[in-house]
Amino acid sequence: MLADKFANPNPNQSGSEYTELCLTYLNLTGNVFENVIRKGQDNSGDVLQMYVLPTDRMQIKTDGRYPVNPTGYKLSFTLLIDFEDNAVIHSKSVNPLWNPDGSHLYGLSPLGAAWNLIEGDNEGWNAVWQIKKNRGAKKIASIQNDKINDYAEGLEMMTALKDEFNKRNADFKDKVMPIWGDVKVSDVGLNAADLAALQASQMTFDRLCNVFSVPVEWFNTDKQSKYDNLSQFNKQAILNGVLPDMNKLRDSRNNWARSNKIIKPNEIIDYDVSVFSELEVDKKAMWDWLKDAPFTENEKRVFLGESALSEGAMDQVLVNRNKISINHVNEAINQRADSGNKGSEGEASKGQQKD
């Protein structure tokens, strides 16, 4: 019955759309709140429908005691809508930031965890922009002069030099421009240490891919990506990204269903891994491993993704003829020795008869 509800959660969504929305909320906010509507005024009967609640509008009510436990939920709509604890399944990412007010009951957003990395990368981008804007490190050219006594005289000379440089710059373009005086040039741009730190900074896009366990090679980047390794990238994204998120949803649903006696202790709510075709094994490689393994033929068929057959012989373990139990090794050696001795005696007796 529950399998049907996950496949058809409500009249407005299909099962795949519902799951996609759950995973989207989990990756963006670190939380998923599923409202389970059941029969009866106390919401204790059969499951009728399921809806994903807007995570950014949900509040968790707590008992204010240690350990802090959720006692219900609130949805900020046109008015506050209260939900009992048994009406909501809360799946979340781990949050190590414990707080007496219960804020740790909300999952930590992956974007929140990566915020400091993003901020650090923004500083790197700003430094790159400054370099491009100035087309290199900035410099100051100063002319030593002992005839300047105050700021007014200095300002007058600076204005005169500026006008003279502007005129001469056009006259001496791509040439050596003569300057009368002792000129000193100072660098005021990024030094070598700053440039090394800038080079070591990783940019935002790569880091975000790591946060969401998505291969950066999926996208049009300078990373090497070829057709023959794209399948490996897809498998990596599913194993490191999708399946852990699906496990969070599965475990939260099982915990909620057992607490509310919807499933028995020996039952489990699970998802179908076979829908991920990228995880299918190479059957040739699997068969090379299975053919000499001590499994029944039916077990080998199951490993290969096929259904078992009803013939009784298919449930027997077959081994190679030259394999024997370790308990019978000495017995087999003695039998071979006896057969060899008998053969020698027979040949000797035949030889005597001929004589």
Side-chain angles (χ1 to χ4, degrees), residues 38-56:
R38 302 165 62 186
K39 284 184 178 179
Q41 294 182 351
D42 56 351
N43 205 48
S44 60
D46 296 336
V47 176
L48 299 177
Q49 294 179 355
M50 300 179 65
Y51 291 89
V52 181
L53 297 170
T55 305
D56 57 324

Side-chain angles (χ1 to χ4, degrees), residues 111-128:
L111 288 178
W115 180 249
N116 289 336
L117 298 178
I118 297 173
E119 284 294 298
D121 286 340
N122 284 341
E123 294 178 1
W125 281 113
N126 290 336
V128 172

Side-chain angles (χ1 to χ4, degrees), residues 158-173 177-179:
M158 183 177 65
T159 303
L161 285 174
K162 183 177 179 181
D163 294 339
E164 185 67 20
F165 282 167
N166 289 337
K167 294 177 182 178
R168 291 197 177 194
N169 187 43
D171 297 336
F172 293 91
K173 185 176 182 181
M177 182 173 65
I179 297 177

